[in-house]
Amino acid sequence: MNEQPRITDTLCAVIGSYLVKGDGDRFDADGKAALAATLQPFVEKGEPIELVLPGFPFKSLNFHAKTSGPKPDFGEVLALRRLEEMCAALDAVYGHGVRLTIVSDGTTYNDIIGVSDADRQAYNDAVRTLWPSRYFRWSTATDLVGHSGSPQELRTALVEQAALPYADLEAFKTAVQADQGLSAAHDRMCAFLYNDLRPQLADDLDEDAYFAEIREKAYEMMIRGLALNAGVERAFPQAVRLSVHQYDNAGPKFSFGFLPGLAHVSAPWHKVPYRHLDGHFSFVDHARIDAEHTLAVYRGDQIWLYQESDAAIDPAIKLSIVKPPQFGLLVELDAPEKVKLLTPRLTRSLSDFFSFICVRGCHFEEREDLVDYCLPFGDIYQWHFGPVHVVQPEEKPKGFVQSLEKTPIHWDLSMLPLDHDRVKQDEWFCADLFMLYCKAPPKKGEGETTLVDGREILRQVGPETVEAWRNTHVTYNTKMTYFGGHPRTYPLVHAHPETGEPILRYQEGSKSEYQTFSQEVQGLSQADSDAFVEEMNRRIYDPKVCYAHPWEAGDMVIVENYLTLHGRNPMSEASSMRELWRVQTIPDMPVADRSAAE
């Protein structure tokens, strides 16, 4: 039986699920067949599928109404992440590879919009570094025309090579005015330009002059758009054509949705990214942000994203990303009591997204005060010494945690004994959140808490390796009586108990004189196990995924324990005063299970 039609149908279904389908959409009626005809030659030859998307030009300069600044922000990350997600889904069912060429088309239009060539180039350079992907290739106007040159020379060459059926711009205007379809397209272009151009045009222009300027620029935008289209068709004649504009998806162009569930095309370079409390994102006009219930998260001096709050916000609280694109959030308070403005729902939402939060400027006088703060987040784990684990160097350490040595990378409550009530109920039981409060910091440059972005490691290795890691089991062993002294075996990857997303579960070994911690990869020879462990250790300390938090007195770090791994850098005697208070929250036990455990 020939499997090619079935594979092509599956590929069409995958791509179709990422399209924006508005009223009158024709993908099912006509577009699916057109897309299948484009895909079929790749399938027949067993060659990588080629896709092309012109877009990611520059940010709209209307920073009040539409965007928040000239640099790419988390909106572009969301768009690139969704493109990668589609490519990975295609790759998973096809197996011969997928390549997506993104044509940065800003050179085509930036002079019309009023964006300088320097700002366009800065945007173009920055956006390429936001979300590196093995599926992406980046292209520019230089590639379309086949030679280099100044931006204006490239624009001229693009139009000349298109060989459009118009002698010049005036002839094109005449053709537009005589054609109902082109005239309607010109009207839509004028409407689009109305907001983008207003901040760039002279303040003393009256309304008639303003509209006249827009009409002229709309003609120029249209003819260059036709030239761009011709250039893309010449350069990528066989590729599946994705678009950032609204079409009915009958083909040959298909409107890509940069967010799921869109009814209309929305692009991040015309909007700001807005994260809702339930975790989903929207692209919204900057002017529509509700300042009283929205937190601005910064990356340096730019707004990185907006976050919905379930309570009125205080503008004096500053939020900034720790490690772009989304690992860690620094929240700076100007008064300790303002920690209460971070409601449990908001804090949970932030920790789910950023993996950890550092709230700087807290003050808990007594350990009970920290416990009271943590109570709304869930059940608190009770050690034999109580709910607060005081982590500080001891004169006679019982293990590496109480020493000045490094603490290996791990996740909290990983090595509980097998006869523990909660472990008997759930073999993967561990803390879901834990809070570390800095009562006294170490010497600067020592004793930092290391935090590892498990999400990013899994993205880097790709879906095939993630799937293999689900079946890779590692046995860990330590003789610390504190943990019961029982070896524990975990898959390297298993599912987040709430979201279902894959999570990384790995612990670093130790040969400390205070506490040994061994690892053994099941089913491998000792040499292969050692090599695997060495590779994992390299991955968890890669600067792209590992952050060392420098403690300040009053810092409270809230860590999502499923999404991160953590440890501690070594210290000298000069840091013997370091004192952290740790409280762990744990998932609620079902009533039936709780009574059985009791």
Side-chain angles (χ1 to χ4, degrees):
M1 179 178 177
N2 189 348
E3 291 291 307
Q4 290 178 359
R6 183 185 63 80
I7 293 173
T8 301
D9 287 345
T10 302
L11 295 173
C12 287
V14 170
I15 293 175
S17 69
Y18 285 86
L19 302 182
V20 178
K21 297 176 181 178
D23 294 338
D25 186 77
R26 294 169 55 198
F27 181 73
D28 289 336
D30 303 300
K32 191 181 297 183
L35 178 59
T38 304
L39 290 168
Q40 192 60 32
F42 296 112
V43 174
E44 289 176 352
K45 298 175 183 177
E47 295 178 346
I49 294 169
E50 295 278 356
L51 306 104
V52 63
L53 173 80
F56 298 90
F58 42 76
K59 285 286 194 184
S60 165
L61 291 186
N62 193 336
F63 302 145
H64 167 71
K66 301 185 78 173
T67 58
S68 63
K71 301 176 184 177
D73 54 33
F74 196 75
E76 276 80 2
V77 175
L78 289 167
L80 292 169
R81 188 165 70 184
R82 187 152 165 86
L83 284 165
E84 181 186 59
E85 181 185 299
M86 181 193 66
C87 290
L90 292 169
D91 206 11
V93 299
Y94 181 57
H96 295 289
V98 177
R99 291 196 293 259
L100 168 65
T101 300
I102 302 173
V103 181
S104 302
D105 58 354
T107 303
T108 310
Y109 307 112
N110 68 286
D111 60 321
I112 299 174
I113 300 296
V115 176
S116 71
D117 288 319
D119 283 348
R120 172 194 51 76
Q121 189 62 52
Y123 174 93
N124 188 248
D125 292 342
V127 78
R128 295 182 183 218
T129 66
L130 289 179
W131 196 258
S133 173
R134 63 192 177 107
Y135 298 112
F136 297 168
R137 295 180 178 181
W138 291 86
S139 183
T140 65
T142 298
D143 303 307
L144 298 185
V145 302
H147 61 78
S148 59
S150 70
Q152 187 53 48
E153 288 170 339
L154 293 175
R155 296 176 194 118
T156 300
L158 193 64
V159 174
E160 289 177 348
Q161 291 182 14
L164 299 174
Y166 313 107
D168 52 28
L169 185 58
E170 290 304 315
F172 177 67
K173 290 183 191 179
T174 301
V176 169
Q177 292 161 5
D179 184 283
Q180 186 175 358
L182 288 175
S183 182
H186 181 259
D187 289 342
R188 290 194 297 271
M189 183 64 72
C190 288
F192 166 77
L193 290 174
Y194 182 86
N195 281 329
D196 265 25
L197 289 179
R198 173 58 84 183
Q200 279 69 256
L201 297 179
D203 293 336
D204 58 355
L205 274 181
D206 62 30
E207 203 67 10
D208 288 341
Y210 179 50
F211 279 117
E213 184 99 10
I214 283 178
R215 284 193 293 271
E216 290 301 307
K217 289 180 178 290
Y219 286 124
E220 186 69 32
M221 287 278 287
M222 289 177 68
I223 198 167
R224 291 196 198 174
L226 293 172
L228 173 67
N229 183 64
V232 172
E233 288 182 351
R234 286 196 310 274
F236 307 97
Q238 309 302 321
V240 173
R241 180 71 181 272
L242 302 176
S243 177
V244 301
H245 300 292
Q246 190 87 42
Y247 292 101
D248 62 9
N249 293 316
K253 299 179 184 179
F254 300 93
S255 301
F256 187 82
F258 289 126
L259 291 174
L262 293 177
H264 302 281
V265 167
S266 186
W269 46 90
H270 295 138
K271 307 279 186 177
V272 294
Y274 184 85
R275 184 175 182 271
H276 300 262
L277 273 169
D278 65 3
H280 84 275
F281 269 93
S282 300
F283 293 142
V284 302
D285 291 330
H286 197 199
R288 296 183 63 188
I289 293 293
D290 176 8
E292 292 186 2
H293 293 86
T294 304
L295 297 159
V297 178
Y298 282 82
R299 179 186 182 185
D301 61 352
Q302 77 171 114
I303 294 174
W304 189 234
L305 61 88
Y306 284 100
Q307 167 68 49
E308 180 186 14
S309 173
D310 56 346
I313 61 100
D314 185 330
I317 297 178
K318 298 179 180 178
L319 292 86
S320 54
I321 186 75
V322 173
K323 198 173 185 65
Q326 71 176 81
F327 190 53
L329 179 69
L330 175 63
V331 180
E332 298 177 271
L333 308 177
D334 63 332
E337 62 273 14
K338 290 185 179 180
V339 70
K340 297 178 181 178
L341 298 177
L342 302 174
T343 66
R345 185 183 179 200
L346 173 61
T347 304
R348 274 281 188 180
S349 180
L350 293 173
S351 65
D352 289 345
F353 183 68
F354 293 102
S355 300
F356 76 92
I357 312 165
C358 173
V359 186
R360 177 156 289 167
C362 298
H363 179 74
F364 299 106
E365 187 64 32
E366 303 293 339
R367 298 171 194 174
E368 291 75 14
D369 299 332
L370 178 60
V371 174
D372 288 343
Y373 172 83
C374 296
L375 281 172
F377 293 95
D379 291 344
I380 293 178
Y381 186 80
Q382 299 290 328
W383 296 91
H384 67 274
F385 45 73
V388 180
H389 182 192
V390 178
V391 184
Q392 60 185 147
E394 297 177 0
E395 187 174 342
K396 294 182 178 180
K398 300 181 182 66
F400 39 62
V401 172
Q402 298 87 14
S403 76
L404 296 171
E405 295 181 355
K406 69 173 282 187
T407 299
I409 297 294
H410 63 289
W411 71 94
D412 259 17
L413 301 187
S414 61
M415 295 296 291
L416 294 175
L418 294 169
D419 59 0
H420 188 283
D421 288 339
R422 295 302 298 267
V423 175
K424 286 191 289 186
Q425 296 293 324
D426 175 11
E427 62 180 327
W428 309 135
F429 166 76
C430 66
D432 56 354
L433 285 182
F434 66 91
M435 290 73 165
L436 288 171
Y437 172 65
C438 183
K439 191 67 173 176
K443 177 184 176 183
K444 288 191 180 299
E446 299 183 354
E448 303 95 341
T449 290
T450 47
L451 293 147
V452 177
D453 187 350
R455 272 181 175 145
E456 179 59 19
I457 290 178
L458 296 182
R459 189 187 81 85
Q460 287 180 1
V461 300
E464 290 182 3
T465 298
V466 169
E467 193 58 35
W469 282 2
R470 291 182 193 274
N471 300 309
T472 301
H473 290 73
V474 184
T475 298
Y476 305 98
N477 193 19
T478 179
K479 293 183 178 180
M480 283 286 291
T481 55
Y482 181 91
F483 292 113
H486 298 118
R488 295 296 306 276
T489 300
Y490 291 94
L492 201 59
V493 168
H494 62 90
H496 192 294
E498 295 179 7
T499 66
E501 70 175 296
I503 57 174
L504 178 67
R505 301 283 79 170
Y506 175 75
Q507 302 189 77
E508 184 185 7
S510 172
K511 296 181 179 179
S512 166
E513 63 176 295
Y514 301 114
Q515 178 184 356
T516 59
F517 196 98
S518 67
Q519 312 141 289
E520 180 184 356
V521 183
Q522 297 299 303
L524 297 184
S525 68
Q526 188 62 54
D528 288 343
S529 178
D530 291 346
F532 188 91
V533 165
E534 183 178 350
E535 173 63 15
M536 287 303 302
N537 290 343
R538 183 192 67 78
R539 287 191 180 280
I540 63 176
Y541 282 104
D542 185 334
K544 294 177 182 177
V545 303
C546 186
Y547 167 73
H549 178 69
W551 287 103
E552 294 186 13
D555 280 1
M556 177 175 59
V557 173
I558 303 171
V559 181
E560 213 285 8
N561 194 42
Y562 295 119
L563 300 176
T564 62
L565 305 172
H566 68 282
R568 183 192 67 217
N569 283 338
M571 304 177 283
S572 68
E573 289 289 346
S575 293
S576 58
M577 82 297 279
R578 180 187 190 267
E579 181 178 342
L580 302 184
W581 297 349
R582 179 177 64 173
V583 174
Q584 294 143 320
T585 67
I586 55 178
D588 290 337
M589 179 186 289
V591 174
D593 292 344
R594 182 177 290 132
S595 60
E598 292 171 351

